[in-house]
Amino acid sequence: MTKKFVIFGNPVEHSKSPQMQNAGLKYINFDGIYEKHHLIDGNIIKNIFLENNYSGANITVPHKEFAYENADIVEGIAKEIKAVNTYILKDGKVVAYNTDAPGFLKAIESFGKVKNVLLLGAGGTAKAISLALKEKNIKVTVLNRSEGKLEFFKNHNIPSFSWENFKPDIYDLVVNSTSAGLKDDYLPAPKELLEPILKNASFAFDCVYGKITPFLALARENNCEIKDGEDMLLFQGVLAFELFTNTKADNNVVKAMRKGLKGE
């Protein structure tokens, strides 16, 4: 029987996960299909997953915390992050993982040694990235529009600020984990706040992929080496693919998935 995999999100039509995952499934001759599922209400994610007989799912914004709350079993770093981006069905139970954290670390390897990071945003992706960096003993500071979402970071002893009470430091890397620039021309923070920070930084990374966002454009103007979220999407996707198929993805599978992601 063909196994069904899916990506849940709102919005989800822009997602390139299906073309990446289907390329991997085809490469290893796995009897499976990966589709998009536009989900408006994150509270019902587990029910929808089970009702549709999905074998596995990826979860994107804004449902990662809902997916965590609804899972039967949560594995690994996801327990601490309290946000998940991958579901698999195992013995009738919904088991949840977070592959964003290791996916992000793999994606920034090309920047070389990074010691001090400013992370913009405070959602599920920011939680994953902040804990991944902290585990690697890389200093991370979180900056978010409002104070409301910062409790998680304070509880993990991660310096976190709203725009109002922020006093900038010098950072090697500035990361945008918000959806600013995904569907609009917004920056993730006011230009007058961001520009002086980017002037002193070496690298800028945006979790949004497939385009030069206003954030990356501003970083490039200020002589930062820039990178969009394609590698993060690829590497978190490879880790999810391994969970979906219960296989180990070798370099050829990764290459096939990258080609799929690029639409080649």
Side-chain angles (χ1 to χ4, degrees):
M1 234 193 37
T2 302
K3 288 194 168 184
K4 289 197 297 180
F5 304 101
V6 72
I7 178 157
F8 289 116
N10 182 23
V12 80
E13 66 275 7
H14 70 284
S15 175
K16 291 184 181 174
S17 286
Q19 62 199 56
M20 170 177 67
Q21 295 288 355
N22 283 320
L25 294 170
K26 186 179 171 191
Y27 186 83
I28 66 165
N29 294 316
F30 190 95
D31 187 9
I33 182 82
Y34 187 108
E35 297 166 336
K36 298 174 190 179
H37 190 128
H38 182 218
L39 181 69
I40 293 165
D41 181 3
N43 287 300
I44 59 171
I45 191 164
K46 180 182 155 187
N47 294 349
I48 297 290
F49 179 81
L50 293 169
E51 279 166 20
N52 284 278
N53 296 314
Y54 293 134
S55 295
N58 286 125
I59 300 109
T60 187
V61 289
H63 299 319
K64 293 179 186 186
E65 280 103 339
F66 292 118
Y68 166 83
E69 296 291 345
N70 280 273
D72 294 316
I73 301 162
V74 179
E75 296 286 5
I77 196 172
K79 284 187 218 167
E80 216 182 328
I81 298 167
K82 295 186 167 39
V84 302
N85 73 332
T86 306
Y87 268 3
I88 60 166
L89 188 64
K90 208 173 183 177
D91 305 324
K93 299 252 191 267
V94 176
V95 186
Y97 302 82
N98 191 304
T99 68
D100 279 332
F104 170 77
L105 291 175
K106 189 91 180 113
I108 63 164
E109 276 178 9
S110 62
F111 290 148
K113 193 124 181 77
V114 168
K115 291 178 183 164
N116 196 4
V117 177
L118 179 65
L119 178 56
L120 307 168
T125 307
K127 290 172 181 176
I129 288 172
S130 65
L131 291 188
L133 289 167
K134 193 169 177 244
E135 268 199 346
K136 291 282 175 197
N137 295 316
I138 297 168
K139 190 178 172 193
V140 56
T141 303
V142 171
L143 177 61
N144 193 49
R145 178 199 295 267
S146 60
E147 194 71 32
K149 281 183 150 185
L150 297 178
E151 192 181 344
F152 172 89
F153 304 96
K154 294 187 190 306
N155 289 343
H156 285 87
N157 297 318
I158 293 166
S160 47
F161 303 92
S162 67
W163 295 352
E164 282 71 44
N165 64 8
F166 178 60
K167 292 186 175 56
D169 191 1
I170 306 275
Y171 309 95
D172 317 308
L173 168 62
V174 185
V175 177
N176 174 33
S177 79
T178 77
S179 57
L182 174 62
K183 290 276 189 196
D184 53 46
D185 292 324
Y186 294 127
L187 287 165
K191 187 177 179 181
E192 58 274 16
L193 196 152
L194 271 182
E195 194 152 35
I197 292 165
L198 290 167
K199 270 188 168 54
N200 288 308
S202 303
F203 312 108
F205 183 94
D206 201 318
C207 295
V208 172
Y209 62 87
K211 63 191 286 194
I212 299 293
T213 57
F215 168 73
L216 288 182
L218 184 65
R220 190 164 59 185
E221 279 168 33
N222 287 282
N223 300 315
C224 290
E225 186 184 326
I226 65 168
K227 194 168 189 180
D228 76 358
E230 184 185 286
D231 273 5
M232 181 175 174
L233 179 71
L234 174 69
F235 294 126
Q236 67 76 28
V238 168
L239 293 164
F241 177 86
E242 292 181 337
L243 291 166
F244 294 156
T245 59
N246 201 20
T247 60
K248 190 82 189 114
D250 62 17
N251 282 341
N252 291 330
V253 176
V254 176
K255 273 184 198 158
M257 290 178 74
R258 191 186 284 278
K259 274 189 164 178
L261 180 53
K262 289 180 177 293
E264 290 171 3

